[in-house]
Amino acid sequence: MNQARTEEGSLQTPVTEDDESWLGCWLQPSGPRAVTLIVVIFALIIIVSVLVYETGGTGYAWLHLMYLPILLAAAGFGIYGGIAAALVAGMAVGPCMPMDVAAGLPQTTSSWVFRIVFFLIVGAFSGLVSNFLNGQISRLREAHRDLLQTHEELKSAQMKLIQTAKLESIGRLAAGVAHEVKNPLAVIQLGVDYLARAANDTTSRDSVETIQEMADAVQRADTVIKGLLNFSRSEPLALVAVDLNPIVEDSLLLVKHELTRAHVSLEQSLADGLPKVELDSGKIKQVFINVFMNAIQAMGDTGTLSVKTFLQSSSTGDSGRDLDGASVVVEIEDTGAGIPEDKLDKLFEPFFTTKGVGSGTGLGLSVSRNIVEMHRGTIRIANREGVRGVAVTITFPVPHRS
Amino acid sequence: MTKKKILIVDDEPGVTRMLKRNLEATYRYVVRTENSSADALRAAGEFLPDLILLDVMMPGLDGGDVASQIKDDSRLSKIPVVFLSAIVTKDEAEPTGSDIGGRTFLAKPVKFDDLITCLEKHLGK
């Protein structure tokens, strides 16, 4: 299948990974397949030998069937397989086998040697061809694997480009909208403040409540706009090599009130001696607070928020002290209801929210991911296995030591 | 008590009107509003306010340009200027105003009580 573009412009997979055809898997086989092939070759040699003897002798045409196991051995095991099969086949129809059974004519030594040499030439030549073809096939397979890998990388780059373009256009739109909306919002805010101050004892309770609701609505609209502006800005980071744990602790302190209010208990396990990572503390706090608040809101009235930090080495994924390619990881888990599986892949899309109307802008996680990726980190969200709740895993690369 | 004079420059008439109404309702301020940044310097020269509340993004001269003109004018250079802007968020500016790059910024939409706190802080200097 040729590489093609769909109507949406995304890349289609050019070829499938299923490159092992029923025939291809018998070329240079290993393990049980190799044993099976050897057994088949020997069986064929024996069958052909018996056939030759039973039908008249080596002077008859059935002898040519012996090329079948030789060619099979050459195809399967290359030049050495071909030569070995030729020798065995030559021995099988060796000097003891008569030239003509019916006439009782013995075959001559020269004809036997000549036949073995002929078998060897065929075995060696077809083995060489097989070696050459197998080499070509290996190179093709390698090229195929490279092509698949390149295709995957291309697809991933394309998705990132689409996402970036989408974010940029949303960002521009958001900044414009935010600015235009803030002025009328300022008028409403000041108007509400004016009316609130003008209210006195004779003002009806409904009027006072209405004014208060309008004031709350202005604040909510302002929060949405703040989210839009944060989303649209990609200011350069002020990266400093810092310990991650104090940033986690500071962020937890900022949501302490929310934890108490929602009766959420906190379990904290911050690893000692983590290597420093290059972070813009202010921006990373914004990410942590966003994730903590999401977790607290997901748990409703009660639950447990677990925050863990640890070092993860790149190769094994286990904790270790080999810092080459290692990451510092923050794992944040809640005991809320979890996220429906069909919504998991939409969580980072701008304006997507699982919260009720007016409870979230749907920009928090998009902004958080932008920030984490600007730090060359990753953020992953998944439902916890076997228990209720969501696990958010954020990683930051440990910088290479100069 | 002497009323303090406040000059408000903002291209949004709704904003200047509402600010004027709120401030004058306290009986502590005399307010003049100007919706054109080009006329801001002249208005400041005539009114000689105790404080100028200045929008940032305006057609023609922006708030920064107007502030520079005021600073260059010997009669006006000592007048405190507070920027009231939609381009800063409340994450970047405190509700009662923040010093950003040597200038005081208030984020729109500002609550009136926060505005008064900010004005009093600068008028008391």
Side-chain angles (χ1 to χ4, degrees):
Chain A
M1 194 198 307
N2 289 328
Q3 184 171 306
R5 285 181 178 276
T6 62
E7 284 177 11
E8 293 79 20
S10 62
L11 291 169
Q12 284 185 331
T13 305
V15 278
T16 62
E17 189 64 69
D18 182 25
D19 58 351
E20 290 285 333
S21 67
W22 67 271
L23 190 62
C25 67
W26 293 102
L27 298 174
Q28 294 183 326
S30 57
R33 275 186 181 154
V35 174
T36 310
L37 189 59
I38 290 168
V39 169
V40 168
I41 290 164
F42 270 100
L44 278 172
I45 290 173
I46 291 165
I47 290 167
V48 173
S49 302
V50 171
L51 206 60
V52 167
Y53 188 86
E54 290 297 323
T55 55
T58 53
Y60 290 83
W62 288 108
L63 184 67
H64 298 299
L65 270 180
M66 199 57 94
Y67 292 118
L68 190 65
I70 296 171
L71 289 172
L72 211 55
F77 302 106
I79 185 167
Y80 297 118
I83 290 172
L87 284 172
V88 173
M91 298 301 286
V93 288
C96 304
M97 190 169 276
M99 181 79 162
D100 186 337
V101 175
L105 291 174
Q107 63 172 319
T108 59
T109 306
S110 61
S111 68
W112 172 62
V113 171
F114 178 75
R115 192 182 310 120
I116 285 192
V117 170
F118 207 73
F119 281 173
L120 282 172
I121 290 169
V122 170
F125 182 72
S126 52
L128 274 176
V129 172
S130 167
N131 278 4
F132 172 74
L133 288 176
N134 278 332
Q136 293 294 94
I137 289 169
S138 297
R139 274 193 287 280
L140 276 174
R141 279 187 184 151
E142 214 169 295
H144 179 226
R145 269 195 299 276
D146 288 349
L147 183 66
L148 276 178
Q149 194 186 338
T150 311
H151 175 260
E152 284 306 316
E153 284 168 6
L154 206 62
K155 212 159 78 172
S156 152
Q158 189 194 34
M159 290 310 293
K160 275 191 179 159
L161 268 175
I162 291 170
Q163 185 70 1
T164 308
K166 203 162 127 188
L167 293 183
E168 272 178 12
S169 55
I170 291 172
R172 277 196 300 275
L173 179 73
V177 168
H179 184 256
E180 289 309 311
V181 170
K182 272 185 152 204
N183 273 322
L185 214 55
V187 177
I188 299 169
Q189 174 73 66
L190 290 164
V192 166
D193 286 345
Y194 182 81
L195 292 174
R197 279 201 320 283
N200 54 35
D201 294 343
T202 59
T203 309
S204 74
R205 188 187 164 86
D206 281 353
S207 299
V208 173
E209 279 180 7
T210 305
I211 290 168
Q212 186 53 50
E213 279 176 22
M214 287 165 71
D216 292 345
V218 171
Q219 286 310 306
R220 216 162 58 221
D222 191 35
T223 306
V224 174
I225 287 164
K226 193 172 74 187
L228 282 170
L229 281 174
N230 282 338
F231 181 74
S232 64
R233 287 174 187 178
S234 53
E235 293 156 355
L237 299 177
L239 293 177
V240 180
V242 287
D243 290 329
L244 188 69
N245 286 347
I247 298 176
V248 174
E249 284 168 335
D250 284 355
S251 309
L252 281 169
L253 213 59
L254 290 168
V255 296
K256 197 178 167 192
H257 173 72
E258 294 298 322
L259 286 168
T260 313
R261 196 184 54 76
H263 307 108
V264 170
S265 57
L266 175 66
E267 280 178 6
Q268 213 172 308
S269 165
L270 309 183
D272 290 328
L274 289 176
K276 291 188 173 184
V277 278
E278 289 182 339
L279 300 177
D280 184 325
S281 306
K283 292 221 182 297
I284 292 304
K285 269 187 207 168
Q286 189 186 335
V287 173
F288 288 157
I289 290 167
N290 184 266
V291 176
F292 294 156
M293 288 303 294
N294 282 345
I296 294 167
Q297 285 165 7
M299 285 184 276
D301 282 340
T302 182
T304 304
L305 176 72
S306 312
V307 183
K308 198 160 77 174
T309 61
F310 56 92
L311 181 67
Q312 182 177 282
S313 68
S314 64
S315 52
T316 60
D318 300 329
S319 293
R321 295 300 309 176
D322 180 11
L323 297 185
D324 191 22
S327 301
V328 173
V329 183
V330 188
E331 214 168 68
I332 301 147
E333 293 181 341
D334 65 49
T335 54
I339 298 163
E341 290 296 324
D342 61 326
K343 296 201 164 86
L344 274 172
D345 58 344
K346 295 195 176 85
L347 290 177
F348 294 107
E349 283 183 13
F351 306 113
F352 177 81
T353 178
T354 57
K355 299 173 190 173
V357 175
S359 302
T361 60
L363 289 172
L365 281 176
S366 308
V367 173
S368 296
R369 186 168 74 171
N370 271 6
I371 293 173
V372 171
E373 287 182 351
M374 280 157 74
H375 288 81
R376 294 183 296 117
T378 62
I379 178 167
R380 200 176 68 242
I381 301 181
N383 285 316
R384 293 169 68 190
E385 280 180 27
V387 283
R388 270 167 62 95
V390 168
V392 181
T393 312
I394 304 171
T395 68
F396 298 105
V398 176
H400 294 291
R401 277 179 288 188
S402 54
Chain B
M1 191 176 91
T2 319
K3 290 184 180 178
K4 297 288 185 183
K5 293 196 283 184
I6 311 285
L7 172 64
I8 303 169
V9 184
D10 194 312
D11 61 319
E12 277 279 330
V15 173
T16 51
R17 228 177 5 250
M18 208 51 76
L19 283 168
K20 182 178 166 74
R21 188 171 298 162
N22 271 286
L23 288 169
E24 288 186 342
T26 64
Y27 301 107
R28 285 186 280 166
Y29 307 101
V30 178
V31 179
R32 175 166 173 171
T33 61
E34 188 56 64
N35 296 122
S36 162
S37 58
D39 296 330
L41 191 66
R42 183 182 49 77
E46 289 169 5
F47 189 52
L48 294 175
D50 296 301
L51 185 142
I52 299 171
L53 204 51
L54 193 56
D55 186 19
V56 175
M57 284 178 73
M58 290 184 285
L61 292 173
D62 65 24
D65 298 330
V66 174
S68 298
Q69 287 182 344
I70 289 167
K71 206 174 169 65
D72 292 342
D73 190 313
S74 56
R75 293 177 307 153
L76 309 173
S77 60
K78 295 273 189 286
I79 300 173
V81 174
V82 172
F83 290 96
L84 180 60
S85 174
I87 60 165
V88 290
T89 68
K90 281 174 185 159
D91 278 348
E92 294 154 330
E94 292 291 318
T96 57
S98 280
D99 188 315
I100 302 172
R103 291 171 168 185
T104 305
F105 279 87
L106 272 172
K108 282 182 184 173
V110 63
K111 285 186 175 176
F112 186 66
D113 290 343
D114 293 334
L115 173 69
I116 293 294
T117 307
C118 179
L119 295 186
E120 290 302 319
K121 194 164 67 187
H122 287 86
L123 287 167
K125 276 182 183 172

